[in-house]
Amino acid sequence: MSSYIEAGGVAAAVESFSGRIYTGVCVDTACTLGICAERNAILNMITNGEDAIRRVLTIMRDGRTGPPCGACREMMTQLMPSRFGVIEVMIDYAAGKTLTLADLTPQWWLRR
């Protein structure tokens, strides 16, 4: 890679409803055309023929877990618009805390 691209600052794992786990890392670019780790993992899942997410885990640069960014939440809701509320998001691995994507995105398109 060049000095304009950094990869792996954040990592993510997505478990599909089939139980398969797909991973991804963020790729940051100087021109802002990079991709988040969660979307990278979701695209890996889609590339492998699946389209339903059960769980999401994001590992931040400092090694802690945390929620996906707004763009990643938006992609998940658009992928599963009538079922996005069932997606479990690990917020704090050490404390065992999870929330649903509906908890994190309560007003998505006013829950049409």
Side-chain angles (χ1 to χ4, degrees):
M1 278 190 260
S2 75
S3 61
Y4 297 105
I5 296 177
E6 177 185 326
V10 175
V14 171
E15 180 186 2
S16 69
F17 267 91
S18 74
R20 291 187 65 192
I21 296 175
Y22 300 92
T23 59
V25 297
C26 70
V27 178
D28 295 314
T29 65
C31 65
T32 71
L33 292 177
I35 187 166
C36 294
E38 300 89 340
R39 281 182 282 153
N40 197 342
I42 293 165
L43 294 174
N44 184 6
M45 180 187 75
I46 291 169
T47 298
N48 282 280
E50 298 202 60
D51 64 359
I53 302 166
R54 177 178 290 165
R55 294 184 183 101
V56 178
L57 170 70
T58 303
I59 302 173
M60 305 302 179
R61 190 175 296 275
D62 64 3
R64 296 184 196 178
T65 54
C69 73
C72 293
R73 294 177 203 178
E74 182 72 22
M75 182 176 187
M76 287 185 277
T77 56
Q78 288 185 33
L79 180 63
M80 298 174 55
S82 63
R83 300 176 296 145
F84 78 94
V86 303
I87 298 172
E88 295 177 19
V89 180
M90 176 60 71
I91 300 299
D92 186 337
Y93 180 81
K97 181 178 180 181
T98 61
L99 294 173
T100 66
L101 188 57
D103 293 330
L104 296 171
T105 316
Q107 297 296 316
W108 186 73
W109 290 11
L110 300 175
R111 306 273 305 208
R112 27 179 202 158

